[in-house]
Amino acid sequence: MSKKQLGAAQGGEVDPQSERLGWVSRLRAQPGFRTAAVAFLLTVVLGVGGTAAYAYWSQQSDVQITGSVAYNLPAVTSLKCVHRIILPNEIQWTVEAGAAEPEARTIVTFDIPSANPKKTVSYAVPMNRSSIVPYTLAGLDEALGKSANGVVLHVTVKTALVTAPSNTVVKVEDHELIKPSAPVTLKSMKYYTIVNGNYDCG
């Protein structure tokens, strides 16, 4: 056996030129290196891209996700004017049974549809009440004005959240109402004045 063959059998001689090549060059000389390198780079790039895409999606989803809140606002189911012989006439209503939001109130609105400019005023009534006497409401006569011969008066009742709820009957403006329910309107009432306002059931 020659020295060259003997060296190969014992582990082989080291090629002096291969000693001069760096580890990168030796790695590059391996079969399939290019394919493995391309696959590695794609893995890194796609991995980074996926992370960036996920971060972008998360940021966008925070902006686009919206929700809605359900409020417990019972609907008005009936409305009537009760005629009294001695006592002033009374407006009575009923609402659906069930719990209501703490800020919920019954909103009673009076308006004269024929008035120009419009004459209207609303009152927020605590939910534990189911009637109101127009004659006793502060500021109602002033809001409706004088009407010696009597005019048709519409009374509308609904429920709504109130921005500043009170435990007494108070005047409210439209901008103080949130999520009002469908209104029920009584159209048979009449309003007229002699000294103070009179509210006739029709």
Side-chain angles (χ1 to χ4, degrees), residues 87-103:
L87 298 174
N89 295 332
E90 184 179 38
I91 303 294
Q92 294 181 352
W93 61 85
T94 57
V95 297
E96 292 177 333
E101 298 291 333
E103 294 82 9

Side-chain angles (χ1 to χ4, degrees), residues 14-180:
V14 178
D15 185 2
Q17 181 154 355
S18 66
E19 287 183 341
R20 290 194 296 269
L21 295 175
W23 67 270
V24 175
S25 299
R26 288 198 302 272
L27 184 62
R28 193 167 47 196
Q30 298 297 318
F33 171 77
R34 288 189 180 184
T35 303
V38 170
F40 175 78
L41 288 175
L42 282 174
T43 302
V44 172
V45 170
L46 290 177
V48 172
T51 303
Y54 176 77
Y56 178 77
W57 176 83
S58 298
Q59 183 181 12
Q60 293 302 310
S61 63
D62 290 344
V63 175
Q64 294 172 359
I65 292 175
T66 58
S68 59
V69 178
Y71 296 103
N72 292 327
L73 285 174
V76 178
T77 56
S78 70
L79 175 62
K80 63 182 178 179
C81 179
V82 179
H83 180 71
R84 310 263 189 212
I85 296 175
I86 299 175
L87 298 174
N89 295 332
E90 184 179 38
I91 303 294
Q92 294 181 352
W93 61 85
T94 57
V95 297
E96 292 177 333
E101 298 291 333
E103 294 82 9
R105 296 293 182 269
T106 303
I107 310 301
V108 183
T109 301
F110 300 85
D111 76 273
I112 298 175
S114 62
N116 188 13
K118 184 178 181 180
K119 293 181 179 180
T120 182
V121 61
S122 295
Y123 294 85
V125 183
M127 292 295 294
N128 60 357
R129 291 186 54 171
S130 59
S131 66
I132 201 169
V133 177
Y135 182 80
T136 64
L137 295 175
L140 183 56
D141 292 354
E142 291 80 2
L144 299 180
K146 300 293 183 180
S147 178
N149 297 324
V151 294
V152 173
L153 179 66
H154 287 183
V155 181
T156 301
V157 178
K158 59 190 173 186
T159 59
L161 299 180
V162 180
T163 55
S166 171
N167 292 326
T168 60
V169 178
V170 294
K171 275 187 182 182
V172 288
E173 302 291 338
D174 286 345
H175 64 84
E176 298 177 77
L177 308 181
I178 304 169
K179 300 287 185 182

